[in-house]
Amino acid sequence: MTHSDDSCASCKAITESLNRLRKDIPNLKVIADSFENLFLQIAALKESIPLIQPHDSEIDVASFVQGVPILKNLEVDAPRDLFLDSANSIIPAMQKCFPGIGDALEKFLDYVRNKRLISSGFMFQDQAGSSKMLDEMAKDLGLQSDLITFIMSLVSKPFAERISESLTPLPESLIWKKGYCPICGSWPEVSFIRGHDGKRSLRCSFCGHEWGFSRLLCPFCENDDQTKLELFYSEDRSFERAELCQECKKYIVSLDTRNMASDPAPEVAALGMIYLDVLAQEKGFTPGAICTWNVIQAPRNDFS
Ligand SMILES: [Zn+2]
Ligand SMILES: [Zn+2]
């Protein structure tokens, strides 16, 4: 599948944001160049997928208020032919970003093309990657489970985003106070500060859903001891920050959009702060959510 700016509104916003990034921070041009196609492929695929309604659209309110994400109790399936389309466009785009895992990506694509993957619905219910199916796939392919989970999460991402769109907006009466996503249960990739009252919202690293969250808590361990929460930023770009938690040693990048001329496309907001990922990781912190861009820096794996 190829993308076309005419048919994909998100693609246009992504391209504009990356152009602005190249202009504002020339050092990030190489990163923007290598990731642009991956972001465009995900956005274009998402728009080509029909709205995906779960089999049972009744939200389990009692579980939800206890902190159980919606998809944990709902069954959804990504149509197989569309899943193959997704693999066919996302895997080559990944090969450009991660030449170090080129062989693994090739094996994965071959596996999907040969119809050995029966369903991808499990990804939405079990993003943590403990799924039996992922383990079996890893064994068949002779690859690490972590790596398979990482590849699957990207190939499934357009579907996760589409499911999330199908389920939102959530009824306002549903209160969610957790640092992980109320739709799919994944950790957030970026925190936004928005509006005249400076409300904080978190953006899910898998399905792209955004939800409100307290400014005084670490999303990952719910630590509220302010002496253990630290903001880290460069003086000339103080609207971009890494929020560090001394308690769990995790961090999240954060963007204060209140004085910005225009908001960046949410898909690429975190990529523009990769210089903060590098600094936070050098200080010994790990990203709360593994994403395509921060995985390069993450010292605890050897994907590339
Ligand atoms: Zn999510
Ligand atoms: Zn924490």
Side-chain angles (χ1 to χ4, degrees):
M1 176 179 293
T2 54
H3 68 85
S4 144
D5 283 358
D6 296 337
S7 65
C8 171
S10 312
C11 295
K12 196 159 170 270
I14 287 167
T15 300
E16 281 171 9
S17 296
L18 291 178
N19 286 341
R20 208 177 314 135
L21 179 65
R22 291 181 181 101
K23 194 164 149 271
D24 292 350
I25 314 181
N27 280 346
L28 293 186
K29 183 183 177 299
V30 175
I31 294 280
D33 290 351
S34 48
F35 281 91
E36 182 163 22
N37 189 41
L38 180 59
F39 282 112
L40 292 174
Q41 295 295 349
I42 292 171
L45 276 156
K46 182 192 79 180
E47 298 208 1
S48 74
I49 299 169
L51 283 178
I52 300 175
Q53 296 296 350
H55 295 312
D56 176 6
S57 59
E58 283 289 302
I59 295 170
D60 184 342
V61 177
S63 305
F64 185 86
V65 297
Q66 297 293 319
V68 179
I70 291 172
L71 290 179
K72 205 77 191 164
N73 292 317
L74 284 183
E75 210 181 303
V76 271
D77 273 317
R80 235 214 73 87
D81 52 338
L82 286 175
F83 187 79
L84 184 58
D85 281 352
S86 184
N88 277 329
S89 28
I90 286 175
I91 297 296
M94 284 182 79
Q95 280 166 328
K96 198 177 165 204
C97 306
F98 305 102
I101 55 166
D103 288 350
L105 289 165
E106 203 59 55
K107 279 187 185 174
F108 178 93
L109 190 54
D110 191 50
Y111 191 93
V112 176
R113 281 181 179 155
N114 289 315
K115 297 186 189 272
R116 287 158 71 196
L117 186 69
I118 306 138
S119 158
S120 61
F122 64 91
M123 277 305 286
F124 313 120
Q125 288 178 307
D126 187 20
Q127 233 274 295
S130 56
S131 157
K132 209 171 139 236
M133 194 177 288
L134 285 176
D135 287 344
E136 277 169 16
M137 194 170 170
K139 207 184 284 169
D140 280 357
L141 292 174
L143 298 168
Q144 291 173 36
S145 287
D146 283 1
L147 181 53
I148 291 294
T149 305
F150 177 66
I151 300 171
M152 265 308 274
S153 69
L154 275 166
V155 176
S156 311
K157 193 168 169 55
F159 299 94
E161 292 185 2
R162 200 64 173 144
I163 292 165
S164 170
E165 281 181 2
S166 312
L167 287 167
T168 51
L170 296 175
E172 279 188 27
S173 57
L174 288 179
I175 309 292
W176 184 259
K177 292 188 172 170
K178 297 293 180 186
Y180 50 87
C181 176
I183 305 271
C184 73
S186 303
W187 294 111
E189 65 184 17
V190 59
S191 164
F192 292 110
I193 306 293
R194 289 207 178 101
H196 57 91
D197 47 359
K199 283 223 162 67
R200 182 195 204 188
S201 61
L202 303 176
R203 177 183 160 87
C204 176
S205 56
F206 186 45
C207 76
H209 179 65
E210 265 189 45
W211 70 101
F213 192 72
S214 163
R215 283 184 72 164
L216 303 172
L217 291 182
C218 165
F220 309 111
C221 72
E222 300 186 6
N223 164 42
D224 64 351
D225 178 348
Q226 302 306 303
T227 64
K228 290 185 176 170
L229 295 171
E230 193 187 328
L231 282 183
F232 181 69
Y233 53 89
S234 106
E235 288 299 335
D236 55 336
R237 296 185 71 83
S238 59
F239 53 96
E240 294 174 343
R241 300 146 194 170
E243 300 178 3
L244 313 175
C245 175
Q246 294 290 355
E247 188 67 31
C248 66
K249 301 299 270 182
K250 292 211 158 72
Y251 73 91
I252 185 167
V253 290
S254 164
L255 185 68
D256 186 337
T257 66
R258 286 176 293 178
N259 293 314
M260 295 180 78
S262 63
D263 284 17
E267 293 90 337
V268 297
L271 180 76
M273 293 183 275
I274 192 169
Y275 68 98
L276 291 170
D277 285 285
V278 176
L279 294 169
Q281 291 182 24
E282 276 172 8
K283 280 167 162 278
F285 292 83
T286 52
I290 292 289
C291 305
T292 46
W293 51 90
N294 68 30
V295 80
I296 300 174
Q297 306 298 336
R300 64 191 159 104
N301 70 62
D302 51 2
F303 287 170
S304 62

